[in-house]
Amino acid sequence: MSVGVGMLGCGTVGGAVLRLLDEHSDDVERRVGRPLEVVRVAVRDAAAERDLPLARDRLTADPLAVVRSDDVQVVVELMGGIEPARTAILEALRLGKRVVTANKELLATHGPELFEAAGATGAGLHFEAAVGGGIPLIRPLIESLPGERLTRLLGIVNGTTNFVLTRMTEEGSSFDEALAEAQRLGYAERDPSDDLDGLDAAAKCAILASLAFDTRVVLEDVYREGIVGVSPEDIEFARRLGYVVKLLAVAELEDGEVAARVHPAMVPSDHPLAAVREAYNAVFVSGPNVGELMFYGRGAGGAPTAVAVVGDLVTAARLAAEGRPGVVFPWEARRGIRPMERMESQYYLLIDVVDRPGVLAKVAGAFGANRVSIRSVWQEGRGDEALLVLITHRANEGDLGRTVGDLRSLDVVVEVRSVMRVEGEE
Ligand SMILES: NC(=O)c1ccc[n+]([C@@H]2O[C@H](COP(=O)([O-])OP(=O)(O)OC[C@H]3O[C@@H](n4cnc5c(N)ncnc54)[C@H](OP(=O)(O)O)[C@@H]3O)[C@@H](O)[C@H]2O)c1
């Protein structure tokens, strides 16, 4: 007897999943122990023409009808968004059906509720495709690394922003030119605001931080800045100082608390993350025993993401076929969340000052008064004014904020033009 699969959504990822299942049906059957059969598929428009290896009468516009169908044992949610995905997944779990999802937005906002429902019936909720597309990341973090107490995770987890920053860095493109090219090549959606504002990366950061530190981190716990404020000047200074600018997801364990944030950062050009170009993704984790590990690959796209979905589907279907309970990540709040004010980083500052003796001492005084230690300074004369470029040692975010406030009130400071965090160095 086959294992019945119900799919919710059949777009970029769902369509690629159907094609993989069709092409690799023998392999899948061997690994599951039974054939898989996609029996019902929900889409928004069931009447639309589709080029899919699927009989038309299996399409419906009702996700709950798929979930409740008696011949569906495993539900694969690939609609995206919060509703109706949340209601449909909760219903599937309540009925004891296994669920596979790629929905990072839903997991990052309602993960605890979903995993509680999965735990209540032992159904299992699999989500390898939710972060990093085709990169195996979720399972290694949950299953391969419990022997380690990870201390830090740095990730490039959004392909659109990495593509834009790569083009600005390597070709000197403006932000708008780079974004237009990303859209032309299909790396950016028509409305790319969730990517550019760091929202997509923050959802992934919440999931990764939860897994890395075995606790509950949700989207609203993640501090977030997007890449819209990154200027060609920042990128040029980064290059001259030996850095590249990346949108980073950072999750750290500091004094037992989790600090999670997404923002543009300068990364040393010899750091492995600096070599992650174009729309590629990578996650770099470190711990005292394992040292440093990097997971790298295509973080999005129908085909790579479908590989991760099918991997989860095979596991879920095998457990269902064997009548074994599903694997559930507890997502319990075991650790506090460190507010941004108390997080630490190194910082780069670009400051316009008047060009006269004693300026550097006044500027340095503002740093010293707020306990921020300067690691290096460059000065460049520009007529009556000078440009100061400073890199600090690791400092507290609140202290740095107060330093910037004090700098702005100094008569020798014309403008604090840019402040950016520096990661991957100390
Ligand atoms: N695309 C990627 O590279 C990628 C990578 C990693 C994770 N993901 C995640 O994978 C999921 C799917 O992404 P996608 O790119 O495949 O999306 P997509 O191409 O927009 O496909 C969405 C599918 O869901 C259906 N759908 C949407 N709302 C529905 C509703 N209310 N009722 C029934 N069906 C509904 C759509 O129906 P119609 O076909 O009729 O419009 C479509 O088939 C999302 O959670 C996304 O974040 C995507």
Side-chain angles (χ1 to χ4, degrees):
M1 208 178 75
S2 60
V3 177
V5 177
M7 286 182 52
L8 310 178
C10 199
T12 308
V13 181
V17 167
L18 277 182
R19 281 185 277 274
L20 278 186
L21 290 176
D22 186 50
E23 285 163 23
H24 303 166
S25 59
D26 291 351
D27 285 351
V28 169
E29 178 174 346
R30 190 169 43 77
R31 286 168 197 265
V32 173
R34 290 194 208 168
L36 287 192
E37 189 183 358
V38 178
V39 287
R40 302 277 274 159
V41 178
V43 287
R44 226 176 333 223
D45 180 1
E49 269 311 311
R50 292 167 199 269
D51 179 20
L52 295 172
L54 185 80
R56 277 188 83 92
D57 61 1
R58 301 204 170 182
L59 292 172
T60 167
D62 182 358
L64 283 177
V66 173
V67 166
R68 291 178 180 146
S69 182
D70 287 338
D71 48 5
V72 166
Q73 281 108 54
V74 184
V75 172
V76 181
E77 187 278 308
L78 298 168
M79 292 186 288
I82 304 297
E83 289 295 354
R86 172 178 161 271
T87 302
I89 291 179
L90 285 173
E91 176 68 357
L93 295 171
R94 191 185 67 76
L95 294 169
K97 302 191 178 188
R98 324 284 162 146
V99 176
V100 175
T101 181
N103 194 332
K104 62 226 140 194
E105 188 189 355
L106 181 64
L107 288 171
T109 46
H110 295 277
E113 178 190 25
L114 300 177
F115 282 94
E116 207 177 300
T121 54
L125 178 55
H126 305 257
F127 55 106
E128 184 62 68
V131 186
I135 310 171
L137 197 52
I138 303 298
R139 223 177 291 203
L141 283 173
I142 296 179
E143 293 179 16
S144 314
L145 291 166
E148 178 61 297
R149 280 274 173 91
L150 293 176
T151 49
R152 194 151 206 246
L153 179 150
L154 297 177
I156 295 173
V157 290
N158 181 271
T160 307
T161 45
N162 202 47
F163 182 88
V164 168
L165 292 172
T166 302
R167 287 300 154 109
M168 288 175 75
T169 303
E170 296 181 4
E171 314 210 336
S173 310
S174 70
F175 179 85
D176 290 341
E177 287 165 349
L179 179 59
E181 189 173 3
Q183 283 170 320
R184 195 172 54 74
L185 294 172
Y187 291 136
E189 295 181 26
R190 214 150 356 122
D191 176 5
S193 45
D194 283 358
D195 295 317
L196 302 181
D197 295 347
L199 194 65
D200 174 83
K204 294 167 178 168
C205 185
I207 296 169
L208 291 175
S210 299
L211 303 179
F213 306 126
D214 194 15
T215 187
R216 175 185 298 182
V217 182
V218 292
L219 185 58
E220 64 187 24
D221 297 327
V222 182
Y223 172 85
R224 171 168 66 88
E225 278 172 33
I227 64 162
V228 177
V230 176
S231 68
E233 190 175 46
D234 293 328
I235 287 187
E236 172 57 16
F237 272 107
R239 191 189 61 74
R240 281 163 57 178
L241 300 173
Y243 299 97
V244 287
V245 177
K246 296 288 184 189
L247 181 71
L248 283 192
V250 184
E252 290 168 313
L253 200 55
E254 290 176 3
D255 303 328
E257 289 179 327
V258 176
R261 50 199 160 97
V262 166
H263 51 69
M266 291 190 180
V267 177
S269 46
D270 59 356
H271 191 282
L273 285 175
V276 179
R277 300 171 55 253
E278 306 264 317
Y280 278 83
N281 281 195
V283 172
F284 185 87
V285 296
S286 32
N289 300 288
V290 80
E292 294 171 338
L293 295 173
M294 188 156 97
F295 303 86
Y296 168 86
R298 289 188 191 278
T305 308
V307 172
V309 172
V310 171
D312 276 353
L313 180 51
V314 165
T315 303
R318 195 180 56 233
L319 291 172
E322 293 168 358
R324 286 162 55 200
V327 181
V328 175
F329 177 71
W331 220 304
E332 282 167 12
R334 294 183 213 274
R335 302 180 188 280
I337 303 295
R338 178 161 285 219
M340 191 59 188
E341 172 79 5
R342 289 200 286 119
M343 290 188 201
E344 285 186 0
S345 184
Q346 279 183 271
Y347 298 87
Y348 143 95
L349 293 95
L350 184 63
I351 311 173
D352 274 335
V353 292
V354 296
D355 198 2
R356 64 168 188 249
V359 169
L360 209 51
K362 280 195 175 178
V363 168
F367 282 84
N370 290 293
R371 300 182 303 273
V372 178
S373 145
I374 298 171
R375 203 191 74 177
S376 43
V377 188
W378 291 262
Q379 181 168 351
E380 213 174 81
R382 294 195 174 181
D384 292 345
E385 293 182 2
L387 205 55
L388 277 185
V389 183
L390 296 103
I391 304 272
T392 73
H393 283 291
R394 222 165 142 81
N396 176 285
E397 181 85 14
D399 290 339
L400 194 278
R402 281 182 283 279
T403 306
V404 172
D406 288 357
L407 287 170
R408 291 200 162 116
S409 66
L410 288 179
D411 57 353
V412 296
V413 169
V414 181
E415 190 188 359
V416 179
R417 287 234 292 252
S418 185
V419 180
M420 194 182 292
R421 297 170 189 85
V422 178
E423 297 291 341
E425 205 161 46
E426 288 186 358

